[in-house]
């Protein structure tokens, strides 16, 4: 597609439920990143995928968070047993050459 | 480890004033890239500029200009003759040559009042 697409744009979930957030990167972009932006805060790195290499998971805040990228394209970020502190905007970005990053519009997650 | 510091959390100016947003970075890499992004109220991150560590030439794009100084590890952003539409949060970011992480500063919220 023309840009990075994320769905849903908004998600409200009850505490303790699992959620899945989807990212569809720009076609041909080999690198994909997930970031989290809590209310009024900066962007926190979560995970990075590059081609078929093992992902860099160093930013995942707990083992409730996981992500996969199927076929080197679409990625899903899963949060299990959601907590209120998980409420944030989750941003996905993709890149072809590591020096140009295009961000999606994000998924606003609210845990009630 | 990489670090980006935007000391100004919030700036308020009146339309047509010039404003400079500060960015100071830390890295051990000799090759790296610096970025500025704009985040308007809609929430989307809009790419403004990328600069590599070997190019210290300052850049001007319309009302925007950037001053990269390796000696002080700074990459400051100036908006000339600010407009209300410039109101947004601006993020400075740093990437290493491997591209496996983009480290962001905390952002500066710019409010331009008419």
């Amino acid at each position: 597609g023309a840009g990075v697409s994320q769905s849903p744009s908004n998600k409200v979930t009850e505490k303790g439920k699992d959620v899945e957030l989807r990212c569809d990167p720009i076609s041909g972009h080999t690198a994909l990143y997930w970031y989290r932006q809590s209310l009024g805060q900066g962007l926190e790195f979560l995970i990075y995928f590059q081609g078929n290499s093992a992902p860099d998971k160093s930013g995942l805040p707990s083992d409730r968070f996981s992500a996969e990228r199927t076929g080197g394209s679409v990625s899903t970020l899963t949060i299990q047993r959601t907590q209120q502190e998980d409420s944030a905007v989750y941003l996905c970005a993709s890149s072809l050459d590591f020096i140009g990053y295009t961000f999606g519009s994000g998924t606003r997650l609210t845990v009630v | 480890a990489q670090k980006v510091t935007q000391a100004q959390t919030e700036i308020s100016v009146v339309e047509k004033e010039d404003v400079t947003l500060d960015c100071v970075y830390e890295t051990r890499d000799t090759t790296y890239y610096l970025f500025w992004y704009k985040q308007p109220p809609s929430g989307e991150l809009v790419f403004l500029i990328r600069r590599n560590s070997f190019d210290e030439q300052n850049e001007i794009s319309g009302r925007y200009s950037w001053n990269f100084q390796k000696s002080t590890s700074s990459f400051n952003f100036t908006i000339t003759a600010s407009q209300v539409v410039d109101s947004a949060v601006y993020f400075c970011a740093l990437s290493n040559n491997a591209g496996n992480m983009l480290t962001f500063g905390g952002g500066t919220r710019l409010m331009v009042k008419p």
Side-chain angles (χ1 to χ4, degrees):
Chain A
V4 177
S5 178
Q6 291 188 246
S7 61
S9 55
N10 279 285
K11 176 73 175 178
V12 180
T13 189
E14 292 181 354
K15 178 181 173 181
K17 300 276 189 182
D18 297 352
V19 294
E20 283 189 354
L21 313 181
R22 177 188 169 105
C23 172
D24 201 343
I26 291 174
S27 179
H29 278 196
T30 55
L32 187 147
Y33 311 77
W34 283 97
Y35 284 82
R36 177 170 71 174
Q37 186 176 26
S38 302
L39 183 63
Q41 302 298 312
L43 284 87
E44 174 190 14
F45 167 76
L46 297 177
I47 190 169
Y48 157 69
F49 295 90
Q50 169 52 35
N52 295 321
S53 302
D56 178 350
K57 304 179 182 179
S58 59
L60 294 179
S62 78
D63 58 8
R64 296 186 296 105
F65 287 72
S66 63
E68 62 177 24
R69 188 178 184 193
T70 54
S73 181
V74 172
S75 176
T76 302
L77 177 68
T78 301
I79 309 173
Q80 296 178 310
R81 306 182 302 282
T82 52
Q83 304 294 313
Q84 288 187 329
E85 60 263 28
D86 299 335
S87 296
V89 176
Y90 289 82
L91 289 159
C92 176
S94 71
S95 174
L96 176 61
D97 56 6
F98 308 131
I99 56 175
Y101 302 80
T102 303
F103 283 83
S105 298
T107 294
R108 181 176 298 278
L109 175 66
T110 304
V111 182
V112 298
Chain B
Q2 299 184 133
K3 184 178 179 181
V4 178
T5 302
Q6 294 179 255
Q8 307 147 307
T9 55
E10 200 167 293
I11 300 176
S12 181
V13 298
V14 176
E15 203 169 21
K16 297 184 183 177
E17 284 185 12
D18 298 348
V19 58
T20 295
L21 310 182
D22 298 333
C23 173
V24 175
Y25 62 92
E26 295 176 29
T27 180
R28 295 178 184 171
D29 295 325
T30 53
T31 301
Y32 52 89
Y33 297 87
L34 293 161
F35 302 77
W36 275 95
Y37 283 87
K38 174 182 180 180
Q39 188 176 45
S42 61
E44 187 174 347
L45 276 169
V46 178
F47 168 81
L48 295 179
I49 190 172
R50 176 187 68 233
R51 185 51 106 219
N52 75 55
S53 52
F54 296 108
D55 183 2
E56 289 193 70
Q57 199 168 24
N58 291 330
E59 182 158 337
I60 298 174
S61 176
R63 295 184 298 108
Y64 295 170
S65 62
W66 291 269
N67 184 350
F68 175 30
Q69 293 196 345
K70 285 181 79 170
S71 60
T72 55
S73 297
S74 65
F75 187 44
N76 296 339
F77 172 32
T78 297
I79 302 175
T80 302
S82 59
Q83 300 176 1
V84 173
V85 294
D86 296 329
S87 297
V89 180
Y90 291 85
F91 290 98
C92 180
L94 168 68
S95 173
N96 61 14
N97 196 38
N100 59 321
M101 189 186 304
L102 193 57
T103 301
F104 284 84
T108 297
R109 181 177 300 277
L110 174 64
M111 293 178 290
V112 182
K113 300 177 181 177

